[in-house]
Amino acid sequence: MPTRRTTILADADLLERVDRFANRARTTKTAVILAALEAYLAEHEAPAELGFLAVGHSGHGRLSLDGRSIARREAGRRRPADR
């Protein structure tokens, strides 16, 4: 996925904490900030709605297996608390 640059305004103390954490973890500030954004969004975003909910045995070879695979993949996008 292509990346884009952005600028944030943050309290100097917060940025110092990010700096210290990144140094202790031997990673970059970018990695710490990205991980924090991902965690925040995972906690606050509504789970994606499933496009369909009717999986069964079709008798048409792989059709039911593909449907189950798709349903499992889509269900995996929900937060663990929602399962």
Side-chain angles (χ1 to χ4, degrees), residues 26-38:
R26 294 186 175 158
T27 190
T28 64
K29 288 189 286 186
T30 298
V32 173
I33 292 167
L34 289 177
L37 287 171
E38 288 287 349

Side-chain angles (χ1 to χ4, degrees), residues 3-81:
T3 59
R4 292 182 16 193
R5 181 177 299 270
T6 191
T7 302
I8 62 168
L9 298 176
D11 193 48
D13 292 337
L14 178 60
L15 293 176
E16 284 291 324
R17 289 171 54 203
V18 170
D19 237 350
R20 285 193 306 270
F21 182 87
N23 287 333
R24 280 194 315 271
R26 294 186 175 158
T27 190
T28 64
K29 288 189 286 186
T30 298
V32 173
I33 292 167
L34 289 177
L37 287 171
E38 288 287 349
Y40 182 88
L41 291 175
E43 182 70 25
H44 293 88
E45 278 183 330
E49 295 293 322
L50 293 178
F52 66 92
L53 185 62
V55 177
H57 182 50
S58 68
H60 292 284
R62 290 198 43 87
L63 186 59
S64 63
L65 293 174
D66 292 343
R68 278 186 250 153
S69 171
I70 292 167
R72 261 196 304 278
R73 184 179 64 234
E74 291 295 320
R77 294 182 182 173
R78 295 183 297 171
R79 296 190 323 238

